[in-house]
Amino acid sequence: MKFTGPPSTIKRCKKSRREMSFPEVLLWQQLRKRPGGFKWRHQHPAGVYELDFYCDAVHLAVEVDGEAHNRGDRPARDLRRDAWVARQGVRTLRVPAKAILTDLESVVRYIIDVARTREVKSSPCGGGIAVNAIAAAAPAIAMLAVFACLIGGIAVIRRGRDRRKGVLMLVMAAVLLANVLIWTL
């Protein structure tokens, strides 16, 4: 599946590529050289959002945070955006603009180290398993199980059948919900 956005976001991203901040330009000059063998895109559309930098091979977004990201409603907007991107199986790595200006080499090295930890390894018999995609889907799958256990447990108790089974299903729903909260925090 291609990770992109609607035409309006694509158009906005094209315009943003011509209006990058100085720290973004410095980082792009390094990432476009494909360090570590990773191909990066800049100002990449993602739904209604715009990612400063994105590596599709490892589903990693890099966001350059300047002073504006600490003001007004930006922190809340960034959290909403990062949560949406995470639900798509993409990790967001936030890098302060100041770090890029003071030690660009270390920032690039850190980004590549994170990208390497997200690489999907192929099996010896060919092909590969998208471990990151499966891990990203686990909370959603567990939430389906939570709802199934809740509905099933309530139905069993309401029908007056084996109350112990109904209670056990409700307890199982609570345990699954706790796991989802742990995974997503």
Side-chain angles (χ1 to χ4, degrees):
M1 182 180 90
K2 188 175 177 186
F3 191 53
T4 188
S8 60
T9 305
I10 293 169
K11 185 176 179 180
R12 191 174 69 240
C13 288
K14 284 181 181 178
K15 183 180 179 205
S16 295
R17 288 182 195 124
R18 295 184 299 270
E19 300 171 356
M20 292 170 53
S21 68
F22 183 61
E24 289 173 338
V25 170
L26 290 175
L27 185 56
W28 176 237
Q29 288 174 342
Q30 296 304 308
L31 293 180
R32 73 186 310 178
K33 296 176 186 174
R34 297 185 180 201
F38 297 104
K39 179 182 177 185
W40 293 88
R41 299 174 185 159
H42 65 297
Q43 305 306 332
H44 183 74
V48 296
Y49 302 106
E50 203 175 307
L51 305 176
D52 288 344
F53 302 97
Y54 176 66
C55 180
D56 190 52
V58 292
H59 303 290
L60 179 63
V62 176
E63 288 298 309
V64 177
D65 284 347
E67 276 298 311
H69 285 268
N70 297 326
R71 296 192 182 135
D73 69 339
R74 284 301 292 268
R77 284 178 25 207
D78 287 345
L79 279 173
R80 280 193 306 273
R81 191 194 71 115
D82 289 352
W84 182 87
V85 170
R87 285 192 301 272
Q88 310 313 306
V90 176
R91 177 178 174 195
T92 300
L93 186 63
R94 295 200 159 275
V95 178
K98 191 173 186 177
I100 293 169
L101 295 172
T102 57
D103 194 2
L104 178 60
E105 187 178 315
S106 293
V107 169
V108 172
R109 206 171 27 247
Y110 173 66
I111 292 169
I112 298 311
D113 288 345
V114 172
R116 282 191 179 120
T117 65
R118 294 185 57 82
E119 277 184 294
V120 176
K121 306 294 182 198
S122 292
S123 67
C125 58
I129 181 166
V131 176
N132 292 330
I134 293 169
I141 294 167
M143 282 306 295
L144 289 173
V146 167
F147 291 123
C149 289
L150 278 173
I151 292 167
I154 292 170
V156 168
I157 291 171
R158 288 183 85 192
R159 289 187 188 142
R161 294 193 180 157
D162 193 350
R163 292 179 67 87
R164 287 187 343 192
K165 280 185 183 175
V167 170
L168 183 60
M169 290 177 82
L170 293 176
V171 169
M172 203 164 30
V175 170
L176 283 167
L177 184 60
N179 279 319
V180 169
L181 291 174
I182 291 168
W183 289 335
T184 56
L185 294 180

